[in-house]
Amino acid sequence: MGQKGFFTDTTLCIGCKACEVACKQWNQLPDDGFQFTGMSYDNSGHLGSSTWRHVAFVERPVPSPTQNTAGMAFSWLMASDVCKHCQRAGCLEACPTGAIIRTEFDTVYVQPDVCNGCGYCVTACPFGVIDRREDDGRAWKCTLCYDRLGEDMTPACAKACPTASIQFGDVEELRERAHRRVEQLHEKGLDAAYLYGADAENQPGTGGLNAFFLLVDKPEVYNLPPDPVVPTMKGKDAWASMGWGALGMAVMAIGAVLLGREVAR
Amino acid sequence: MSDDIRPEDLEKRQDGRNIDSRLGVLAGEGAQQRVKGIDEANPSRGLLRTRPSQSGVNAESPSYYGQPAIKEPVWIWSIPLYFYVGGVAGAASVLGAAADVFGGERMEGLGRRCRWVGTAGDIVSSGLLIYDLGRPTRFLNMLRVFRPTSPMSVGSWVLVGSGAMNTASLLFAGRRGWLGRAGEGAAIAAGLLGLPLAGYTAVLIANTAVPIWQATRKSLPLLFMSSAMAGAGSLMELLPHPKRDEKVLHLFSAMGKVGELLAGVAVQHEASRLEVLVRPLKHGPSGTLWKAAKVCTAASLALGVWPGRRKWMKVARALLGSAGALLTRFAVFRAGKVSASDPQTTFQPQRQGMGAAEVTGHTHASDGKPFKFPLPVLHEASALPRREIPAARHLESELGPEPPTAPTP
Ligand code: SF4
Ligand code: SF4
């Protein structure tokens, strides 16, 4: 089946939100209560259990060589964010029930009938993607349209995107395309363009993302962590420390008993 | 007026998806999600004061309008309470097993009482977990698989195993024949399982993306385990015991309290690598809880070494010790929530090489730049004085000077 994924080229995004709408429609997700954040034209704020694509609107007092803003020192960055379907997915490694699986398309999928709503995956995702719905109690996130992939169809968001900002395909091929695009942008004078999470070399903490991005500013500007790490990579330290703690506790318990016996005699 | 309610609004209220359910069935992936009730206030409302011009996108440590970068833990009060109860159950089982094996005949009673506390703790723990999950069957679901990468999976098995062993030892220990021997074996097994039961909850929270928990992963297990000893000892001191057993309990809980205070210093030291990380332990409600926990533990310890053996002192000592152990868990829990909701707490440590770089030795962020501020990404940007931006100038005169961009909790 091969590795399927997204390449999101944020320089092409026009913020039309077609992806958000297409995702909601195909997956029949309930609405989020039409509210603007009040900080930009962003009305969904962040990814959540019923928002599986989220378009970020970044208003910068900085000009961009690829945007014509009538000489004003001003530019827009728009980026359609999504679950990254990490190669080493924190959510998957944390889930105690086996509800989160890796599919034959190498995507990360939450089985709603197995999830028991413990919420551990929510704290384990270094990108803050997956979330638990309060009413439902279970965790939900982008499935990379698992049901469509099985039918050889393109995910709804990529299909709906009018500017090809969201590109779907085999991850290998997407990477090549992305590298070419970065070069092209550099030639155009947009030196800041770079890939975020394209492979394990690029983002060692997650082993690379199956849904990676082309960005032109610091990751934080798009609400992406600069150096995310799957928590289990650091888990060893905690387990080792617990081992020492256990040793200490056993010694102290035995010591208390022995000392108590001595004193009582 | 009721006339104002349009049919499509009714439809919307029914399923929240603007789909006429008479025209088709809901079969999409997310169709199992029920509808949100009334519109909640957008969680970002509190950030309304963040104006685009000061959203920090051109600041040295930018963020996306101050929005949290990761999700806040969704757990409620029952989880920190479980951390306490589970810790008490674990430490009591350990002491029980130690009394059985090393205490000789005269300490059989102490071992038995410890196992009672352990069993009760295991049962209450399961209850608290089920309360958080919502349904008892969901707890069974936890035992569907065993996954070593998930401390929660490991912990569920430990909790169930410890409950089973404690119960078995209560039922069978002291009987004649092989049943009695099995019961004694179960008591020891419960003691061995008590060790991870007291400590795994710290590993559980350290193994998350929550910055302060992740950053303190080396000292947190020590804090939780010593505080479990203090908690178990203090709780059992409230029960009547023979003199000899009282001595043991006092020693056990005193060692726990000393450990708790020392480990508390270690946690704070580990978090102090960056100002943003340690902030929740110093300020706000979580800081207050943290300080209160220390004060209670220290006071309890002081009462223990104070000369004079009066009844009220013993009770106060036990109560303060329990409060210290309980408050410690709540403080750590609250601090985690606070640190998850501030994006800088996620970003800054990663920029300083405390992200993946810490374990992989890879010292470049994913944008290929080294972990160091200032990080020039758009050169033209930094050269531009703010005055040249008409929109920003307008905002400035309209809204006054900029407050600092870093959000304080
Ligand atoms: S981005 Fe988060 S939710 Fe998506 S696969 Fe990675 S860890 Fe899981
Ligand atoms: S909430 Fe569901 S998907 Fe997430 S870790 Fe728990 S069981 Fe797994």
Side-chain angles (χ1 to χ4, degrees), chain B residues 11 27 38 70 76 155 185 196 217 220 235 329 331 345 355 366 370 399 404:
Chain B
E11 199 65 51
I38 19 157
I70 55 169
I76 51 169
R217 62 190 178 280
L220 220 43
L235 190 75
R329 317 303 165 101
T345 318
S366 27
L399 299 159

Side-chain angles (χ1 to χ4, degrees), chain A residues 95-97 99-100 110 115-121 139:
Chain A
C95 177
T97 64
I100 306 186
V110 190
C115 170
N116 69 4
C118 67
Y120 196 35
C121 53

Side-chain angles (χ1 to χ4, degrees), chain B residues 194-265:
Chain B
L195 296 167
L197 180 61
Y200 95 87
T201 47
V203 181
L204 176 104
I205 61 170
N207 195 34
T208 61
V210 175
I212 189 170
W213 292 345
Q214 194 181 77
T216 56
R217 62 190 178 280
K218 287 183 186 142
S219 47
L220 220 43
L222 301 176
L223 176 70
F224 272 40
M225 294 186 89
S226 49
S227 137
M229 284 171 59
S234 300
L235 190 75
M236 290 192 64
E237 277 185 285
L238 288 171
L239 308 171
H241 296 282
K243 263 251 146 37
R244 174 177 53 242
D245 296 356
E246 250 171 36
K247 194 79 212 161
V248 174
L249 284 174
H250 180 52
L251 276 169
F252 188 65
S253 75
M255 287 192 233
K257 283 170 217 162
V258 172
E260 193 178 345
L261 289 173
L262 290 177
V265 175

Side-chain angles (χ1 to χ4, degrees), chain A residues 26-33 35-40 42 45-50 52 54 56-63 72-73 92-98 100 109 112 114 116-120 122-138 140 143 147 192 194-196 201-205 216-229 231-235 237-239 241-242 245-246 249-250 252-254 256-261 263-265, chain B residues 12 15-17 19 25-36 39-45 47-48 50 52 57-60 62-65 67-75 91 94-95 98-99 102-104 106-107 132-133 138 141-142 144-145 147 149-154 195-196 198-200 203-204 206-210 214 217-218 221-222 225 228-229 244 247-248 251-252 255 347 350-351 354-360 362 365-367 371 373 375 377-378 380-381 384 389-390:
Chain A
W26 176 260
N27 295 303
Q28 295 180 349
L29 290 160
D31 71 51
D32 303 311
Q35 277 165 333
F36 276 101
T37 56
M39 299 168 304
S40 68
D42 185 353
H46 29 67
L47 293 170
S49 53
S50 58
W52 296 352
H54 160 243
F57 289 72
V58 183
E59 213 176 322
R60 295 186 313 165
V62 171
M72 269 217 293
L92 191 153
E93 294 190 6
C95 177
T97 64
I100 306 186
Y109 178 70
V114 183
N116 69 4
C118 67
Y120 196 35
V122 176
T123 51
C125 171
F127 299 98
V129 169
I130 192 164
D131 202 5
R132 197 169 84 162
R133 255 184 90 92
E134 263 164 50
D135 52 0
D136 184 273
R138 286 179 291 171
W140 300 83
T143 65
D147 47 349
Y194 68 96
L195 295 182
Y196 178 85
E201 171 76 25
N202 188 292
Q203 197 174 89
V216 296
D217 205 336
K218 292 175 200 167
E220 295 98 308
V221 168
Y222 303 86
N223 215 6
L224 292 169
D227 186 32
V229 59
T232 23
M233 270 195 191
K234 295 183 171 180
D237 292 347
W239 282 117
S241 164
M242 196 203 87
M249 193 174 192
M252 283 196 251
I254 296 167
V257 168
L258 291 179
L259 275 174
R261 217 165 68 156
V263 171
R265 227 167 241 166
Chain B
K12 200 166 73 194
D15 64 17
R17 294 177 180 87
I19 291 172
V25 282
L26 287 174
E29 194 75 52
Q32 289 183 48
Q33 289 198 35
R34 276 180 272 138
V35 183
K36 260 186 202 168
D39 283 2
E40 290 163 29
N42 192 305
S44 48
R45 275 287 158 90
L47 298 159
L48 271 181
T50 317
V57 290
N58 63 336
E60 216 175 50
S63 78
Y64 183 66
Y65 302 108
Q67 291 271 18
I70 55 169
K71 293 273 178 289
E72 215 179 80
V74 288
W75 302 316
V94 173
L95 185 63
F102 297 96
R106 287 187 302 175
M107 277 198 196
D132 185 64
L133 296 175
R138 286 187 167 176
N141 209 11
M142 291 284 210
R144 217 182 135 254
V145 292
R147 183 170 291 193
T149 56
S150 168
M152 191 176 273
S153 173
V154 176
L195 296 167
Y200 95 87
V203 181
L204 176 104
N207 195 34
T208 61
V210 175
Q214 194 181 77
R217 62 190 178 280
K218 287 183 186 142
L222 301 176
M225 294 186 89
M229 284 171 59
R244 174 177 53 242
K247 194 79 212 161
V248 174
L251 276 169
F252 188 65
M255 287 192 233
F347 297 152
Q350 296 188 6
R351 277 284 171 200
M354 289 160 68
E358 209 173 33
V359 275
T360 60
H362 200 99
S366 27
D367 56 0
F371 296 108
F373 267 122
L375 191 73
V377 174
L378 286 178
E380 323 87 296
L384 259 178
I389 307 155

Side-chain angles (χ1 to χ4, degrees), chain B residues 95-114:
Chain B
L95 185 63
D100 275 357
V101 179
F102 297 96
E105 256 166 47
R106 287 187 302 175
M107 277 198 196
E108 260 172 22
L110 177 66
R112 197 162 178 79
R113 266 167 273 135
C114 283

Side-chain angles (χ1 to χ4, degrees), chain B residues 69-88:
Chain B
I70 55 169
K71 293 273 178 289
E72 215 179 80
V74 288
W75 302 316
I76 51 169
W77 56 267
S78 60
I79 293 298
L81 192 59
Y82 160 65
F83 291 171
Y84 166 76
V85 177
V88 165

Side-chain angles (χ1 to χ4, degrees), chain A residues 82-86 88-92 100 108 124-130 141 209:
Chain A
V82 70
C83 168
K84 283 80 184 168
H85 298 275
C86 318
R88 280 201 61 181
C91 60
L92 191 153
I100 306 186
V108 179
C125 171
F127 299 98
V129 169
I130 192 164
K141 71 169 190 69
L209 308 174

